[in-house]
Amino acid sequence: MASHIVGYPRMGPKRELKFALESFWDKKTSAEDLQKVAADLRSSIWKQMSDAGIKYIPSNTFSYYDQVLDATSMLGAVPPRYGWNGGEIGFDTYFSMARGNASVPAMEMTKWFDTNYHFIVPELGPDVNFSYASHKAVDEYKEAKALGVNTVPVLIGPVSYLLLSKPAKGVEKTFSLLSLLPKILPIYKEVISELKAAGASWIQFDEPTLVLDLDSHKLQAFTAAYDDLESTLSGLNVLIETYFADLTAEAYKTLIGLKGVTAYGLDLVRGAQTLDLVKSNFPKGKYLFAGVVDGRNIWANDLAASFSTLKELEAVVGKENLVVSTSCSLLHTAVDLVNETKLDDEIKSWLAFAAQKVVEVNALAKALAGQKDEAFFSANAAAQASRKSSPRVTNEAVQKAAAALKGSDHRRATNVSARLDAQQKKLNLPILPTTTIGSFPQTLELRRVRREFKANKISEDDYIKAIKEEIKKVVDLQEELDIDVLVHGEPEVSVPSHRNDMVEYFGEQLSGFAFTVNGWVQSYGSRCVKPPIIYGDVSRPKPMTVFWSSTAQSMTARPMKGMLTGPVTILNWSFVRNDQPRFETCYQIALAIKDEVEDLEKAGINVIQIDEAALREGLPLRKSEHAFYLKWAVHSFRITNCGVQDTTQIHTHMCYSNFNDIIHSIIDMDADVITIENSRSDEKLLSVFREGVKYGAGIGPGVYDIHSPRIPSTEEIADRINKMLAVLETNILWVNPDCGLKTRKYAEVKPALNNMVAAAKLLRTQLASAK
C-alpha cells in the first residue's frame, strides 16, 4: 500500500528560510547564500519523507515566496512595469513582483482559498507574451533525483492558474482569462517534456479550483486543457489533486473524465461528502489518493476512524489502487512537534504537526498492507480518549453563557448615523480624519527587552518601564505627525510577524488556549505566524489590554484607540478544536472580548478597534454555505460591542481578501468605522460603491500598501483619496494605511505617514475652498 504527501512546509523547523530571505533582502548575504539554505531545506524534507517510507514524495512545492508566483515565473507572465526583458527570471524580477521595489508597486496579494496563506495574483490580458522563463520545476526534480529521491513534480494546474488570475490594469474586467488557455498550454507541454526527459514517472497538477462553484463553461476548460495535454502526458502517471472542500457532482464527473489522467487526489477531511461520489462511481483501474490526514490542523489523526474509511474505499477502488495521502499540502500546519519543549505531555499527545502527519500517513498505508503497528495505533487511541474525557476541555459556565446567546441578534440600540453624530460631538475630529491600524515598527531594542523579560533576565517593573517608554515614543511621533486618532503601537505584543501576533497575544490571556515555541506557519513570503491552539472552552480570566490602553491615553489629549482582535479572526487564525462546531467556539470568544470592550469603555477609552481581518477568509468555498457562516460570524462581532454607549466609537479592520461579495454582511456588522485594505488590490473595493452600494458608517480604504518598503508620495496618496471621494461621502471617509506597521522600519514609516497626513490636509484645504 502506497503513501503520498501533497506538499510540505517550506520555512524549515526553525524558520531558516525566513531569516535567509530577510538577510538577502537586506543585502547582508548573497544569492548563493540564500540558494544554499534553500537547497539544504529541500534535501532535508525529501530525506525525511523518504526515511519515513513515503512512496510519492512531492518536488517543486518549495518556494522562495509563493507557488502561484512560481507558476507566473514559469509562464513568463511578468507585468511590463518590472522591466523584464526575457530570459530566465532571476531574484530581482521575482522579488519585485512579490514585494515591489523603489519605483513600482508589488502585484496584488490575496488569501489562498479559505486559508491564512497568501498568494500573488497573476495579472493577465490578451497581450501577454507567455514564454518558458523559469525551469524551477525541472531543476528541483533533478536535484532530488541526484540525492537518490525520485519525486512527483507538482505544478499549479493550467485551469486553476487562470481562474486564480485577474485582468491586468487596462484590460476589460469582462476579459475571459480562460481564453488564454491555448497560449499557456504550450509552456506546460515544454515543462512536461523536460520532466519526462529527466526521468519523471509521475506528475501532480494541483487543480484546487475544482472545488469551487463552477459553471459548465469553466468545467469544460478542464476537459479542453487535459485533452490538449494528453499526448504530451503520454508515458507519465498523472495525478490531479483537489483540496479544501467537496467536489460537486458535476465537478467530480468532469474530474474522472479527464483524458490522460491516472489518479485523483481528494480531500476527505473537508470534503467528506465526496466519499459518496467515489463509492457510487469510481473509474476502474484509476488510483485514488485518499486525503484522510488533515493538512490544515494540528490534531492527531484518529487512526482507527481513518483506517475504517480506507477499508471502505479499498473495497471500491481496489487494494492496489488506493494511496493514503494528506488532505492538502502540509504548508498550512506547523513543522515538527519535536521542537515543542513547553507544551505539557497531555496536550502534546493530542497533536500532530507536519513531521508527525507524514508518519501517520505511512502508518495507515502499512496497516492497509497488513503491517499494522499495534503499539502506534494503541497510543493514538489512548490520546483520542484522553482528549475526549479531559476536564481541561470543558467549562460548563462558558457553555451555558454561549447557549444563552440564542434568540437575540445583539444589535446596538441606536442606528449608526445617530451614533456617529454623538461620537463627533465628543471626539471633535476634522473631516478626513487620519489614523493608523494599530502596530508600529518593532525595534531591535524592543525585541531585546521582551526577550529578556521572557527569559527572566529583567524584572517586571523594568519591563513595564521599557514598554511605557516605547509607547511614549510612539504617541509623541503621532502627535508630531499630527495624526488625529492615535494608537499605542502594540509594543507589548511579543511576536514580530503578521497581524496574527495579536491573536497570540489575546490567546495567551484567555483560557482554553495552548501555545507553541516553534509552531510557525507561513503566511506570505518570509512572514510566519504562530497560531494558538484552541483545545477547550474559552473565557477571559482578567482584563487583557486595559492597563496599556489607559496608560497610552494618559499620555495624550487626542483619542487613543483600544486595540482588540475580534472573535472571528481569533478563530480563523488559530488551530481550532475539531470536537464541536466552529460557531460555538466563536461565540465563546465573542463573550470574552465583550467583557474586555466594556472594561476599556469604563477605563475612559472612547475609540475601540476590534479587528476582523480574517472574517472574509473563513467564508466557505461553497456559496450554499455562505449565509450560515456570515450569520454567525457577523453575530459574533456584534456580541462584542452591543453593550457600549453611543458615544463609544467602534472600529473594525479587514485586510487582504476580496470583500466586494460580502459587503452587505460588512454593513450588517454595524461598526461605526471600518478600515479596509484597498491599495494593493488596485482599489477593487471602491468598485462596489461605484455600483451603487450605500455605506453610511465611517470607512477608511487603505491609502498605501504597508507590505512593500516603497514610500508613496503626498500626490499619490491625495490621488487615491480623490478616487475615494468620487464614490464616498466626505463626512464618512477616513485616511489610513492598509494594515499595521509592525513589519516596516521607522525609516519607511515616518515619511509615509508624513505624506499621508499631508495628503489629508491638502484635500481638506481643497474641499474647504470649494464650498
Side-chain angles (χ1 to χ4, degrees):
M1 189 63 61
S3 50
H4 166 252
I5 304 296
V6 177
Y8 202 79
R10 307 154 180 162
M11 286 289 116
K14 300 286 180 70
R15 295 181 292 161
E16 292 87 345
L17 182 61
K18 167 191 170 64
F19 299 122
L21 282 166
E22 292 173 355
S23 182
F24 173 70
W25 293 335
D26 288 341
K27 296 183 168 46
K28 294 177 181 175
T29 52
S30 68
E32 290 74 19
D33 294 328
L34 174 58
Q35 289 164 334
K36 183 178 187 311
V37 170
D40 288 346
L41 283 171
R42 289 192 295 268
S43 171
S44 171
I45 291 166
W46 292 326
K47 184 177 187 304
Q48 177 189 347
M49 286 195 241
S50 180
D51 289 349
I54 302 299
K55 180 175 180 180
Y56 300 111
I57 296 171
S59 61
N60 199 40
T61 57
F62 177 88
S63 178
Y64 287 104
Y65 207 93
D66 161 51
Q67 71 269 20
V68 181
L69 182 61
D70 292 349
T72 294
S73 298
M74 181 186 83
L75 295 167
V78 181
R81 65 181 178 273
Y82 299 108
W84 176 65
N85 295 314
E88 189 81 3
I89 289 174
F91 281 156
D92 282 353
T93 300
Y94 181 85
F95 288 128
S96 290
M97 289 192 286
R99 308 176 70 236
N101 57 43
S103 57
V104 291
M107 295 168 70
E108 180 186 351
M109 181 168 65
T110 197
K111 296 292 174 81
W112 177 246
F113 294 82
D114 57 347
T115 74
N116 190 29
Y117 177 75
H118 304 65
F119 74 97
I120 303 296
V121 182
E123 302 172 11
L124 304 178
D127 298 328
V128 176
N129 293 313
F130 295 100
S131 64
Y132 187 11
S134 170
H135 293 66
K136 176 178 175 293
V138 178
D139 290 344
E140 287 189 15
Y141 172 78
K142 290 178 177 177
E143 181 184 331
K145 191 175 181 184
L147 295 169
V149 183
N150 193 19
T151 59
V152 179
V154 179
L155 300 175
I156 299 286
V159 183
S160 288
Y161 177 79
L162 293 176
L163 291 178
L164 293 168
S165 303
K166 70 172 186 177
K169 198 167 186 176
V171 175
E172 288 293 326
K173 299 303 179 190
T174 55
F175 173 71
S176 171
L177 293 160
L178 289 175
S179 69
L180 297 173
L181 201 52
K183 292 188 176 182
I184 69 169
L185 288 178
I187 315 297
Y188 275 88
K189 290 176 183 178
E190 285 190 70
V191 179
I192 293 163
S193 296
E194 285 195 8
L195 287 168
K196 283 169 69 173
S201 56
W202 279 83
I203 187 168
Q204 174 180 321
F205 291 100
D206 281 7
E207 293 281 14
T209 57
L210 270 168
V211 306
L212 302 178
D213 293 310
L214 301 179
D215 59 31
S216 58
H217 171 66
K218 289 175 181 173
L219 288 173
Q220 178 59 33
F222 288 94
T223 303
Y226 288 92
D227 279 358
D228 195 329
L229 291 174
E230 183 184 15
S231 60
T232 310
L233 290 169
S234 177
L236 277 173
N237 291 296
V238 179
L239 165 63
I240 305 293
E241 186 67 51
T242 70
Y243 36 78
F244 297 151
D246 281 300
L247 291 168
T248 63
E250 295 80 7
Y252 180 74
K253 184 179 178 182
T254 299
L255 174 66
I256 63 174
L258 296 179
K259 290 184 178 177
V261 174
T262 317
Y264 314 104
L266 303 176
D267 182 339
L268 301 180
V269 176
R270 290 185 174 235
Q273 292 173 30
T274 304
L275 269 173
D276 295 332
L277 296 172
V278 172
K279 290 173 184 176
S280 64
N281 179 26
F282 191 80
K284 192 172 182 180
K286 302 291 187 179
Y287 289 85
L288 173 62
F289 282 57
V292 293
V293 173
D294 192 351
R296 286 185 57 176
N297 217 327
I298 42 64
W299 303 107
N301 187 269
D302 184 338
L303 295 179
S306 292
F307 185 72
S308 176
T309 299
L310 290 165
K311 290 298 285 184
E312 287 182 59
L313 290 169
E314 186 180 76
V316 175
V317 307
K319 193 179 188 75
E320 298 306 314
N321 292 334
L322 183 62
V323 178
V324 183
S325 184
T326 53
S327 65
C328 62
S329 172
L330 297 176
L331 172 70
H332 309 288
T333 190
V335 179
D336 196 342
L337 198 54
V338 168
N339 297 316
E340 298 309 320
T341 55
K342 294 188 178 178
L343 283 173
D344 66 70
D345 289 342
E346 182 181 37
I347 289 179
K348 206 169 179 179
S349 74
W350 302 342
L351 307 178
F353 291 179
Q356 288 69 47
K357 290 175 186 291
V358 169
V359 174
E360 289 178 338
V361 166
N362 199 55
L364 286 165
K366 288 175 72 176
L368 284 171
Q371 302 166 37
K372 188 175 182 182
D373 184 335
E374 295 292 352
F376 187 73
F377 270 70
S378 177
N380 175 267
Q384 298 292 324
S386 158
R387 186 174 163 219
K388 286 176 183 172
S389 62
S390 175
R392 303 169 69 175
V393 171
T394 306
N395 182 323
E396 288 186 14
V398 170
Q399 292 192 350
K400 189 175 180 181
L405 293 171
K406 293 166 186 172
S408 170
D409 64 2
H410 296 91
R411 292 184 184 276
R412 292 170 76 177
T414 311
N415 68 44
V416 69
S417 178
R419 297 198 309 263
L420 288 173
D421 287 344
Q423 291 156 15
Q424 179 58 17
K425 286 175 186 173
K426 187 165 191 173
L427 299 173
N428 193 29
L429 298 172
I431 62 166
L432 307 180
T434 54
T435 190
T436 65
I437 305 306
S439 61
F440 265 67
Q442 302 287 288
T443 63
L444 290 173
E445 174 63 17
L446 181 58
R447 294 180 190 183
R448 181 192 63 77
V449 167
R450 285 199 305 252
R451 191 167 56 246
E452 290 186 356
F453 177 59
K454 282 198 165 188
N456 296 315
K457 292 181 179 178
I458 60 172
S459 68
E460 184 174 10
D461 287 345
D462 287 340
Y463 170 73
I464 290 172
K465 180 184 176 187
I467 297 297
K468 283 183 175 180
E469 288 172 356
E470 185 66 24
I471 291 172
K472 185 71 168 71
K473 288 177 189 174
V474 170
V475 170
D476 288 349
L477 172 61
Q478 291 171 92
E479 290 192 327
E480 177 189 327
L481 292 166
D482 206 16
I483 292 173
D484 300 304
V485 175
L486 311 190
V487 298
H488 75 287
E490 302 170 7
E492 77 282 14
V493 179
S494 62
V495 187
S497 61
H498 194 34
R499 289 297 299 171
N500 297 60
D501 49 12
M502 290 297 286
V503 174
E504 177 160 1
Y505 176 76
F506 288 111
E508 284 176 339
Q509 301 183 74
L510 295 169
S511 63
F513 282 75
F515 297 88
T516 63
V517 176
N518 287 298
W520 298 99
V521 180
Q522 185 181 17
S523 179
Y524 68 93
S526 70
R527 301 300 176 195
C528 300
V529 296
K530 194 147 56 92
I533 298 166
I534 305 177
Y535 67 84
D537 291 333
V538 178
S539 62
R540 185 197 72 148
K542 62 182 181 180
M544 302 180 286
T545 65
V546 175
F547 173 76
W548 295 118
S549 292
S550 54
T551 296
Q553 183 64 82
S554 71
M555 297 175 180
T556 180
R558 301 186 186 210
M560 174 64 62
K561 282 198 279 193
M563 300 300 305
L564 302 173
T565 301
V568 185
T569 296
I570 290 176
L571 184 88
N572 285 336
W573 283 355
S574 298
F575 289 126
V576 183
R577 57 190 294 190
N578 58 0
D579 59 345
Q580 70 177 17
R582 288 172 71 86
F583 70 85
E584 290 185 14
T585 303
C586 199
Y587 283 154
Q588 293 177 359
I589 302 168
L591 287 171
I593 300 299
K594 180 177 187 288
D595 290 343
E596 187 72 11
V597 167
E598 292 170 5
D599 280 349
L600 281 168
E601 184 182 58
K602 288 173 191 170
I605 304 301
N606 297 314
V607 182
I608 303 171
Q609 181 171 309
I610 309 167
D611 284 356
E612 282 296 14
L615 187 140
R616 171 62 176 78
E617 80 180 44
L619 193 68
L621 299 177
R622 279 308 188 7
K623 288 178 183 173
S624 61
E625 300 169 15
H626 286 190
F628 178 66
Y629 167 78
L630 289 168
K631 182 179 179 181
W632 63 255
V634 170
H635 186 195
S636 295
F637 177 82
R638 288 201 306 264
I639 288 167
T640 65
N641 60 86
C642 62
V644 300
Q645 300 172 28
D646 287 355
T647 50
T648 297
Q649 190 167 83
I650 299 296
H651 288 224
T652 190
H653 170 65
M654 295 182 173
C655 60
Y656 291 99
S657 284
N658 180 9
F659 299 105
N660 294 23
D661 55 350
I662 63 162
I663 190 67
H664 293 289
S665 294
I666 291 173
I667 293 169
D668 198 38
M669 291 170 72
D670 200 27
D672 297 310
V673 178
I674 179 170
T675 53
I676 195 161
E677 185 274 327
N678 172 66
S679 64
R680 191 163 184 174
S681 59
D682 197 25
E683 297 158 350
K684 192 189 299 178
L685 172 72
L686 299 185
S687 66
V688 80
F689 302 112
R690 292 189 194 101
E691 291 160 9
V693 170
K694 299 298 180 187
Y695 193 78
I699 183 166
V703 297
Y704 78 90
D705 175 20
I706 66 88
H707 291 86
S708 170
R710 185 172 166 273
I711 298 165
S713 67
T714 298
E715 293 73 23
E716 181 182 334
I717 295 174
D719 181 59
R720 285 191 185 278
I721 297 170
N722 270 321
K723 288 179 181 176
M724 296 169 193
L725 288 170
V727 292
L728 294 166
E729 296 295 328
T730 308
N731 64 333
I732 66 169
L733 186 62
W734 285 63
V735 177
N736 47 263
D738 264 345
C739 205
L741 304 170
K742 176 165 288 188
T743 60
R744 299 267 58 89
K745 298 170 182 174
Y746 272 107
E748 300 156 353
V749 165
K750 288 179 183 179
L753 290 180
N754 185 67
N755 292 349
M756 183 187 84
V757 173
K761 289 180 176 179
L762 175 66
L763 269 294
R764 287 172 195 161
T765 301
Q766 291 176 359
L767 289 167
S769 63
K771 284 185 179 179

